[in-house]
Amino acid sequence: MFRLNRMDAWILLAMFRAGNQNKTDYAGIVSCLPDISLAVPTHQEFKAAYNKFLYIKFIVAEGANTSLAPAAQQLVEAAQPGPAISSAQAWVDAICNTLAAYKCKSMCNRHEWQEAQYLLGVELFSKLKGANNVN
């Protein structure tokens, strides 16, 4: 049995943000991780989340592009904290609480996402994070 966890919630939010910015390739998704107090997910953690989300039909994979299915889109939007709480951490926590109800008896085993794309995404994420810390 595979459970969805906080890392999966964080990656799901990155997919949501990437879709809103038309960055649906793997590097774009990694670069759209919200800045929260966790270590950046590894390539293996991204691949595991991808395969869980594919299994429960939360994502749509079209070649090199990955987007959220309508159910996942609605889940992420419904979990967004109100204007009084604007932290990404609160949003990830709310998504995680909703995902806790999902259990996967299995997961897919697809390998569309490549490590070179992951490394590019981490580099872009680091640059964006550094640019935001300068202000």
Side-chain angles (χ1 to χ4, degrees):
M1 180 85 52
F2 298 96
R3 295 191 179 271
L4 296 164
N5 56 41
R6 184 165 316 286
M7 195 67 68
D8 298 326
W10 191 18
I11 292 168
L12 191 66
L13 183 53
M15 290 177 176
F16 173 82
R17 291 171 47 140
N20 287 346
Q21 297 177 31
N22 294 318
K23 296 179 179 180
T24 57
D25 64 318
Y26 184 30
I29 291 168
V30 175
S31 74
C32 286
L33 281 166
D35 188 12
I36 64 173
S37 62
L38 294 174
V40 174
T42 65
H43 175 56
Q44 291 303 321
E45 289 169 321
F46 266 100
K47 285 174 46 175
Y50 175 93
N51 284 313
K52 288 183 223 177
F53 293 144
L54 201 56
Y55 181 79
I56 61 172
K57 296 179 175 42
F58 264 25
I59 59 173
V60 177
E62 295 176 14
N65 297 318
T66 304
S67 59
L68 292 184
Q73 182 87 15
Q74 290 171 350
L75 181 149
V76 173
E77 289 171 351
Q80 186 171 10
I85 304 171
S86 62
S87 80
Q89 182 69 55
W91 200 354
V92 170
D93 291 344
I95 294 169
C96 185
N97 289 339
T98 303
L99 290 179
Y102 291 85
K103 296 175 183 97
C104 305
K105 291 182 182 177
S106 184
M107 67 177 171
C108 293
N109 190 21
R110 291 179 54 182
H111 303 284
E112 277 81 0
W113 287 356
Q114 303 301 315
E115 191 167 14
Q117 295 169 324
Y118 168 78
L119 294 173
L120 175 60
V122 169
E123 182 180 332
L124 293 170
F125 172 72
S126 297
K127 286 180 182 176
L128 291 172
K129 185 176 178 181
N132 290 336
N133 288 338
V134 170
N135 296 332

